[in-house]
Amino acid sequence: MKPAAERLTALMGHLFTGPLPVRLRDWDGAESGPADAPVVVLRSPDALRRLLWQPGELGLAEAYISGDLDVEGDLAGALSQARRAVRDQGITRPRPARMASAAALAVSLGAASLPPRRPDGRARLTGRLHSSSRDRAAISHHYDVSNDFYALLLDESMAYSCAYWARPADASYGLAEAQRDKLELICRKLGLGAGDRLLDVGCGWGSLAVHAAREHRVRVTAVTLSRQQRDFVAARVVREGVAGLVEVQLRHWRHIDGGGHDAAAAVEMGEHVGDTEYPAFAAKLHDALRPEGRLLIQQMSRGADAPGGGPFIETYIAPDMHMRPVGRTADLLEAAGLEIRSVESLREHYAATIDAWRTRLEDRWSEVENLVGETTGRVWRLYLAGASLAFTERRMGVDQLLAVRPTRDGGSGMPATPTAWYPSAGRR
């Protein structure tokens, strides 16, 4: 009998008009398919069982996460090459006779039994969408993997958002420098000065709050829904000598009190707000500012296709997330009474940032496995590889939107030009 790999590639060949996008290696070590295609390793018939019971993106993802399926070499490169092949050729709808052949092949390969157990790590949320309790559970699922895990992945600033690669040609310039430049760019756009009041909504592990307090002597109210993050930031501000300037609060954005802030920021937090709730979120930010106070939103954008990121992201990474085109977000902010003053795309910067995180993940793989286990490590390996491609291939974007709350007479207090936001390379 022919090896499983050969029989599977023969069956797959009927779906494509050109060469197959992958080369298969089966659990017996036999290979079949184009020699120059990415090698997909089927470690057991369970990989086929997963795809049989759950065809599509989520079945493929769970086959990879579980270790039943693997990819040789760089995962992002393999995904990109396979995606291009599928895009350029398309997939032919299988005829009933081919579907019957596929079913017979599955039986002969031992893949037609009950589905394997799903991998650990699926989000399991209950309650009303975007209620405070459900939002807290969604944030906990993503951000409470463990502070130590994120410390392995991120640079020492613990900034978990797109960096700003101001000097990409400089060999001595890396992730830490790019994150510092992002934090400083935000502070410049907000026009922060000593004694100003900054509201940091979705403060993460305190990177912006600490930078603004330490470098600009700003008084910061930092807000998070993650208890682990709250405790981390509370200890961090003491350790870094800015406890007198930073107050960290564990609360939902709906429960933010008070106004009169000179500036507010939400760095990659708005994606978690939800579509129907975003107008109220924008109104809350407007009301938190004094007249002529500035708002910096850094937020991922996406078209109408899969606004939550797709089945894998929504199931394993960031449940209940919602992204929209950047213009729609600008509309919502202006509808709340804010005036958009600047929009800057950082799409290519995010691909570079994620690739830096991917490198750190691979370089510290044994530590990752010891800390969170192989399954969670593989979830993040797949997530980062796919995210890098999404930004590189323009299926996702990320933007900084600067807005101001105008005075009743239309005053903005904004500078005539943005030149102060971008000092020369010699000053960096």
Side-chain angles (χ1 to χ4, degrees):
M1 183 178 291
K2 292 181 179 179
E6 188 173 340
R7 297 161 70 192
L8 287 167
T9 54
L11 183 66
M12 291 171 59
H14 295 287
L15 302 177
F16 296 91
T17 57
L20 293 182
V22 297
R23 181 174 178 82
L24 294 183
R25 180 185 302 148
D26 65 28
W27 44 90
D28 293 322
E31 292 191 13
S32 182
D36 59 346
V39 176
V40 173
V41 183
L42 305 175
R43 301 206 178 278
S44 81
D46 282 349
L48 303 179
R49 290 169 61 203
R50 292 187 186 280
L51 293 173
L52 187 66
W53 284 94
Q54 191 168 242
E57 176 186 314
L58 196 54
L60 279 168
E62 292 192 340
Y64 179 82
I65 293 165
S66 65
D68 294 329
L69 179 151
D70 218 333
V71 177
E72 284 199 342
D74 177 59
L75 181 58
L79 290 173
S80 180
Q81 186 173 339
R83 179 180 171 82
R84 285 197 303 271
V86 172
R87 179 197 65 197
D88 294 343
Q89 296 183 44
I91 298 181
T92 303
R93 185 178 180 85
R95 297 176 180 176
R98 296 298 176 195
M99 295 180 69
S101 297
L105 179 57
V107 171
S108 68
L109 294 177
S113 55
L114 294 175
R117 188 179 70 86
R118 287 172 169 169
D120 295 333
R122 280 182 163 233
R124 304 188 184 281
L125 306 184
T126 59
R128 181 174 54 84
L129 182 64
H130 293 298
S131 64
S132 296
S133 60
R134 181 170 172 133
D135 278 353
R136 185 173 292 107
I139 292 298
S140 179
H141 176 83
H142 186 67
Y143 294 96
D144 290 347
V145 177
S146 84
N147 292 338
D148 290 340
F149 168 76
Y150 281 100
L152 289 176
L153 189 69
L154 309 178
D155 72 292
E156 54 266 31
S157 76
M158 292 293 285
Y160 181 45
S161 55
C162 179
Y164 192 76
W165 297 81
R167 303 200 311 272
D170 185 346
S172 65
Y173 184 90
L175 178 61
E177 291 78 15
Q179 289 290 12
R180 187 194 185 283
D181 282 345
K182 183 271 300 294
L183 298 171
E184 185 60 21
L185 178 62
I186 291 173
C187 291
R188 290 195 189 109
K189 286 185 174 182
L190 290 173
L192 296 178
D196 283 349
R197 294 178 60 209
L198 169 65
L199 175 65
D200 183 7
V201 185
C203 66
W205 289 273
S207 58
L208 177 60
V210 168
H211 181 90
R214 185 179 59 224
E215 302 298 328
H216 298 274
R217 309 309 297 170
V218 172
R219 295 172 294 159
V220 185
T221 300
V223 178
T224 178
L225 259 184
S226 164
R227 190 174 299 276
Q228 286 194 28
Q229 286 183 339
R230 191 276 310 271
D231 294 347
F232 182 95
V233 177
R236 180 179 183 178
V237 297
V238 172
R239 187 171 65 250
E240 301 205 22
V242 292
L245 292 171
V246 179
E247 177 191 6
V248 57
Q249 299 177 351
L250 180 68
R251 61 178 56 192
H252 197 280
W253 63 262
R254 294 191 190 95
H255 305 141
I256 293 171
D257 297 324
H261 292 87
D262 300 285
V267 179
E268 295 180 29
M269 177 271 180
E271 300 88 338
H272 300 290
V273 169
D275 194 32
T276 58
E277 289 74 19
Y278 207 92
F281 176 65
K284 174 68 73 172
L285 295 175
H286 170 276
D287 294 348
L289 294 168
R290 63 166 175 80
E292 298 188 357
R294 302 183 198 177
L295 168 69
L296 189 290
I297 298 282
Q298 182 169 307
Q299 192 167 296
M300 289 179 280
S301 57
R302 193 175 177 106
D305 178 44
F312 166 62
I313 299 292
E314 294 164 32
T315 302
Y316 282 92
I317 299 297
D320 294 351
M321 183 167 65
H322 184 92
M323 297 170 283
R324 65 184 67 79
V326 61
R328 176 62 180 143
T329 295
D331 287 343
L332 292 170
L333 294 172
E334 292 210 319
L338 295 156
E339 181 184 11
I340 302 296
R341 301 294 303 214
S342 170
V343 179
E344 182 173 2
S345 173
L346 306 181
R347 180 173 64 84
E348 292 87 351
H349 294 256
Y350 222 159
T353 303
I354 293 168
D355 285 345
W357 292 340
R358 291 176 59 220
T359 297
R360 292 172 69 87
L361 183 79
E362 298 303 333
D363 288 347
R364 302 176 177 191
W365 185 253
S366 61
E367 295 175 79
V368 169
E369 284 189 309
N370 290 337
L371 187 63
V372 297
E374 182 182 9
T375 298
T376 298
R378 290 176 74 86
V379 166
W380 278 81
R381 178 185 275 162
L382 181 59
Y383 168 48
L384 294 177
S388 174
L389 288 181
F391 287 102
T392 298
E393 298 174 355
R394 207 176 68 82
R395 285 178 283 116
M396 286 182 62
V398 63
D399 309 275
Q400 283 187 354
L401 297 91
L402 180 66
V404 65
R405 175 178 175 173
T407 67
R408 183 171 298 180
D409 297 327
S412 69
M414 293 291 295
T417 72
T419 53
W421 302 345
Y422 307 102
S424 67
R427 290 176 56 192
R428 289 183 180 273

